[in-house]
Amino acid sequence: MPCRIAPTTLSTNSVVLRVPIHSLQPIIRNRCSSTAQNHDGNHRVGIKHGLHSRVSQTHVAAHAQHAVGGATSDQGTNTVKVGLYIAGWYAFNIVFNILNKSCLNVFPAPWFLATFQLCASAVFMTVLWALGLQQRPKVSKELILALIPVAFFHTVGHVSACVSFSQMAVSFTHVVKSAEPVLSVILSQLVLKETYPLYVWGSLMPIIAGCSLAAIKEVSFSWGGFNNAMISNLGMVLRNVYSKKYLDEFKHIDGINMFALLSIISIFITAPVALIMEGFKGGVYQWGGMADAATEALGGNFTLFMRMVIASGIFYHLYNQASYMVLGQGISPVTFSVGNTMKRVAVVVSSVIFFQNPVSPMNWVGSMLALFGTGLYSAAKQKASEQAK
């Protein structure tokens, strides 16, 4: 663009100078050229800066989009992982219950099986620790002393459940075990001095009513089986209560390692009692003759019998480990409790189908009502915990 300047009068204080325009033309031409170059340079710099800014914004947007996409992808991956863990937890538990009851049908030695399952869990965890697949816990004298009462109640809960399974149908034992929250509320108040609002107590009513209805028409019902299932509930509740009382300072140990340590200590409690109660009952060795009878019941196939026993131990550990892996994914206690309730439903239905147990309509109504009450209790207890904060 041409630069045009009119004839100019230069004033310096009171002196007025008249400068001919032709004398200023070289200066004007240089100034115009410089201005044009500066304008063009600034324009180019501006364009370059604008392009750089747009490119930078594009990169930022791309990174932001990638980050959002990555977060969504991670969330989706975690959801899939939780789903797989829950599926494994359900599957392992169903298989364990079927194997356990199948073993007890031909080899009615619940004390032996319970002890063997604890041993299988201990061996399984020892292998994981040795191979570095699971971090070894730091064990101290204080931890062992704190674990002993908890392990005792763990032993009572596990052995009593196994005895109950030998006396009643798997499905009905699980219905009775769904009454565990009733004892949990009562004993938590007595031992830990915890109080619960009325709606938590009210959530227990469907459990009590459901268990009562299911018991009325239960073909396999026996008082021995019912009592052992309730003793199992008592043992598991006291295990949880005393875990809360004594193990709060050992929260650095994860759930699966804590379960392994409980299993190992429980072996030393269970094995001597098993030998007295069952192995040498009446002063005569019993397990050998019982194993022979089991082998005969399986068509003389001792290998099959041993496989069933070993598999029951392996799946006992797997379903417990899977449950801790589910908890390790950061799901809420209510979600886990609902998942546990639905798992019990799956076990009840699968065992009825597999063993062809006769179940009346009242059995189904009572069973489902009791299991529904368990889920309702879990939600009520979680709400009470949140309100107490």
PDB file of all heavy atoms in Angstrom, residues 77-78 130 378:
ATOM      1  N   THR A  77     -12.883 -52.070  31.457  1.00  0.00           N
ATOM      2  CA  THR A  77     -12.045 -53.235  31.762  1.00  0.00           C
ATOM      3  C   THR A  77     -12.282 -53.711  33.182  1.00  0.00           C
ATOM      4  O   THR A  77     -12.374 -54.914  33.445  1.00  0.00           O
ATOM      5  CB  THR A  77     -10.550 -52.883  31.576  1.00  0.00           C
ATOM      6  OG1 THR A  77     -10.343 -52.439  30.231  1.00  0.00           O
ATOM      7  CG2 THR A  77      -9.672 -54.093  31.852  1.00  0.00           C
ATOM      8  N   ASN A  78     -12.387 -52.764  34.134  1.00  0.00           N
ATOM      9  CA  ASN A  78     -12.618 -53.129  35.531  1.00  0.00           C
ATOM     10  C   ASN A  78     -13.977 -53.794  35.712  1.00  0.00           C
ATOM     11  O   ASN A  78     -14.121 -54.748  36.479  1.00  0.00           O
ATOM     12  CB  ASN A  78     -12.538 -51.887  36.419  1.00  0.00           C
ATOM     13  CG  ASN A  78     -12.553 -52.231  37.893  1.00  0.00           C
ATOM     14  OD1 ASN A  78     -11.672 -52.917  38.384  1.00  0.00           O
ATOM     15  ND2 ASN A  78     -13.566 -51.765  38.602  1.00  0.00           N
ATOM     16  N   ALA A 130       5.340 -69.354  47.726  1.00  0.00           N
ATOM     17  CA  ALA A 130       6.646 -69.840  47.285  1.00  0.00           C
ATOM     18  C   ALA A 130       6.980 -69.373  45.871  1.00  0.00           C
ATOM     19  O   ALA A 130       8.136 -69.053  45.565  1.00  0.00           O
ATOM     20  CB  ALA A 130       6.695 -71.371  47.356  1.00  0.00           C
ATOM     21  N   SER A 378     -28.893 -56.564  54.382  1.00  0.00           N
ATOM     22  CA  SER A 378     -27.619 -55.972  53.965  1.00  0.00           C
ATOM     23  C   SER A 378     -27.796 -54.499  53.620  1.00  0.00           C
ATOM     24  O   SER A 378     -26.985 -53.651  54.011  1.00  0.00           O
ATOM     25  CB  SER A 378     -27.051 -56.731  52.760  1.00  0.00           C
ATOM     26  OG  SER A 378     -26.819 -58.085  53.088  1.00  0.00           O
TER      27      SER A 378
END
